[in-house]
Amino acid sequence: MKSLKLGKSNILSSRIVYGCMRIIGDNSIDSRKKGKQAIRTAIEEGYTHFDHADIYGGGKCEELFSEILGENPEVRDKIIITSKCGIRDKNNPNENDPARYDFSKEYIVKSVEGSLSRLKVEYLDLLLLHRPDYLCNPEEVSEVFQELQDSGKVLNFGVSNFQPSQVSMLQSYCPFPLLVNQVEINIHNINALLDGTLDQCQELKITPQAWCPIGGVVYPAWGNTFSKEDEVRIKSEFDNQSKKYNAENWIVMLAWLLKHPSMILPIIGTTTPSRIKAAKQALEIDYSREDWYRLLEARNGYPVP
Ligand SMILES: NC(=O)c1ccc[n+]([C@@H]2O[C@H](COP(=O)([O-])OP(=O)(O)OC[C@H]3O[C@@H](n4cnc5c(N)ncnc54)[C@H](OP(=O)(O)O)[C@@H]3O)[C@@H](O)[C@H]2O)c1
């Protein structure tokens, strides 16, 4: 497995991250077993970075992951554990409460304590603010980050789904560099290419992470706007490239993401062991500039002007 340094730090992450959002499936015994096997496979295959959030499976994904760490205590210090906070899920703290974004000091600390106790670890390598809280007080966030770092509970910080202006604003208050901005990037959602997110990552040396990286290839991406005609055109280009590179379409998609000079870290979420292994094939593809543009044009439905 190839690796890269996260943001301005010296922390080495595997070049593909394993996302733990789906590891409990429907929380049945069988799907939990499948989820544990997926994590074991990811560790065996050299993935060293695992992405969580306090809300994944209502906390059950972090709990399941702790079972693996319990069985293999030597693994903890060899991997990066990321978790996220800032989305107060519905029914929290009271039944029928709606979901809200919450970057208050009280909520961030409570969320980190919860993640540490579910994961049964002493520290998180990386904590991300999950989605922008419009009522964010950056001084308060910076203060709580500092306290969490001083206490050794969180080593590094980053953000997720932040617009460039929101990153700049928060960074201007934080005494240490934000390491990542985790956003949706896939063949359907290329906003990060267009709204300055990837430019800013390159400018400030922030590592972009792509969630749902194969959305729009093997399943419809969030808020799908592709027509049938779009899908046929895009699939046809994927099929051509699939033959050329001798790799399945979704692996070509990963290669497309990896090609970008901002050094996008795709976060894969498959729970199928053979796919966890196969994703690494994308790292071996010598993906051409020409094919990158061909896929972009197939996606857009028009040539570059
Ligand atoms: N920050 C955020 O707001 C945010 C939001 C969403 C997700 N995330 C993070 O991003 C991670 C990845 O997201 P994701 O799980 O949506 O990633 P993904 O890798 O795009 O999608 C994984 C899904 O695709 C299926 N799949 C994979 N290959 C397939 C194939 N060849 N044919 C059919 N189905 C296939 C998998 O099914 P199988 O399991 O059956 O293989 C799984 O259901 C999450 O785990 C989470 O850590 C972050």
Side-chain angles (χ1 to χ4, degrees), residues 90-145:
K90 51 182 190 261
N91 300 319
N92 180 8
N94 304 307
E95 208 166 316
N96 298 326
D97 279 352
R100 289 285 181 255
Y101 302 143
D102 191 344
F103 290 178
S104 64
K105 179 174 175 176
E106 186 194 8
Y107 190 71
I108 291 176
V109 169
K110 194 171 149 209
S111 166
V112 168
E113 300 285 1
S115 289
L116 293 177
S117 97
R118 286 186 295 274
L119 286 160
K120 297 195 177 73
V121 295
E122 306 275 305
Y123 64 94
L124 296 176
D125 298 272
L126 187 56
L127 176 71
L128 309 185
L129 298 173
H130 205 152
R131 280 186 180 276
D133 172 9
Y134 303 109
L135 300 179
C136 169
N137 173 346
E139 275 181 58
E140 187 180 354
V141 171
S142 166
E143 212 176 280
V144 66
F145 277 3

Side-chain angles (χ1 to χ4, degrees), residues 1 18 33-48 50 65 68 72 268 270-280:
M1 173 69 84
Y18 185 73
K33 225 166 128 183
K34 186 177 177 204
K36 281 177 83 170
Q37 188 49 46
I39 300 161
R40 284 190 200 102
T41 304
I43 294 169
E44 281 160 21
E45 292 298 315
Y47 292 75
T48 59
F50 294 84
F65 195 83
I68 295 287
N72 310 275
I268 59 156
T270 174
T271 52
T272 307
S274 58
R275 290 180 183 148
I276 296 171
K277 286 181 201 174
K280 293 197 301 180

